[in-house]
Amino acid sequence: MGLRPSPEKTLITHIDEGTVFLGWRIQRHRKRGTGKHYVYVYPAKKALAAVMAKVKTICRQNTNLPLEVLLHQLNRMLRGWTAYFRYGCSNATFSYLRSYLWQEIVRWKNRKHRRTSWKQLRRRYGIWPANGDVTLFDPARVSTKRYYYRGTRIPTPWPSTT
């Protein structure tokens, strides 16, 4: 087909240094409490920074909108992002995103209701942002599922020479 790898894009690294591929950070670490090393796959910092930037732009766009509209926009984006990254070691990333999300929503409420105290805002909206039937999606509650090695169950297409 005449395809050749591009030297600018091709990078060979050791698995202990890790690499980023399609938003995932793939790196070998020692498992805590043991001497064994495993390959871990978790969201890259660039992917986390991108979703945090999206949250920030959505929250800073317009304070004239009701909270319900803001929550719908955020929920749609967050459900897709967490669905993509749930198949890895993403619990810590999801918890970090949850705290960042909560802070941005609180800042949005403070900008919308400038002279209202935190006590009154908490009474009106609750601790976790909700408005009527719409509640802010909590990324930390997404259950993650690790990829497990299944090499012994995959049949080999080549005949055995033994």
Side-chain angles (χ1 to χ4, degrees), residues 18-113:
T19 186
V20 176
F21 182 69
L22 295 177
W24 292 97
R25 175 89 180 149
I26 305 165
Q27 192 171 10
R28 183 168 59 187
H29 294 288
R30 183 182 58 80
K31 185 178 178 182
R32 268 188 237 171
T34 66
K36 295 183 177 183
H37 285 73
Y38 293 100
V39 175
Y40 290 97
V41 180
Y42 45 92
K45 290 185 179 179
K46 188 175 178 182
L48 178 62
V51 76
M52 287 169 57
K54 285 181 186 176
V55 167
K56 190 174 186 177
T57 56
I58 289 173
C59 289
R60 303 266 170 110
Q61 275 180 348
N62 194 356
T63 56
N64 291 331
L65 295 175
L67 180 63
E68 190 173 344
V69 174
L70 178 75
L71 294 180
H72 276 299
Q73 290 176 349
L74 287 173
N75 287 351
R76 197 172 338 133
M77 188 246 325
L78 290 170
R79 283 182 207 279
W81 194 83
T82 54
Y84 178 74
F85 284 108
R86 76 177 281 220
Y87 297 101
C89 301
S90 306
N91 284 336
T93 307
F94 289 169
S95 296
Y96 182 80
L97 181 62
R98 177 190 197 270
S99 66
Y100 179 78
L101 188 62
W102 187 82
Q103 287 174 354
E104 283 296 318
I105 295 292
V106 167
R107 286 185 192 128
W108 181 86
K109 288 182 202 174
N110 285 336
R111 278 194 309 276
K112 185 171 178 68
H113 307 285

